[in-house]
Amino acid sequence: MATFDTTRTTYGSATVAGQVTRFFHNALSSVQNWNEARITRNALSALTDRELEDIGLSRSSIETFIGR
């Protein structure tokens, strides 16, 4: 007697679902990284030149430090 396994996914559907999930995860991660860099950039920009010098930065090196 033959039986059919109906609980398995169709071939390739798990791959597509994984790609969609990965796409949204990467998009969310990119937005989070951008926001963290924005917050850090704003905090460093609010410091005085003297405070920046104390931590070893200059105003022109903020973008390099954050890494665009």
Side-chain angles (χ1 to χ4, degrees):
M1 179 161 110
T3 61
F4 293 98
D5 183 7
T6 59
T7 59
R8 294 178 8 171
T9 60
T10 306
Y11 177 74
S13 65
T15 304
V16 172
Q19 289 175 347
V20 170
T21 302
R22 194 172 320 117
F23 171 79
F24 284 110
H25 177 269
N26 290 342
L28 180 61
S29 180
S30 294
V31 170
Q32 288 173 333
N33 290 339
W34 169 83
N35 192 47
E36 288 177 15
R38 182 187 64 84
I39 291 169
T40 303
R41 190 178 304 111
N42 289 342
L44 289 173
S45 295
L47 296 177
T48 65
D49 290 338
R50 174 66 187 182
E51 292 169 328
L52 286 171
E53 186 181 328
D54 286 345
I55 60 173
L57 293 174
S58 65
R59 196 149 307 277
S60 62
S61 66
I62 291 175
E63 287 301 323
T64 305
F65 177 74
I66 300 300
R68 262 198 153 168

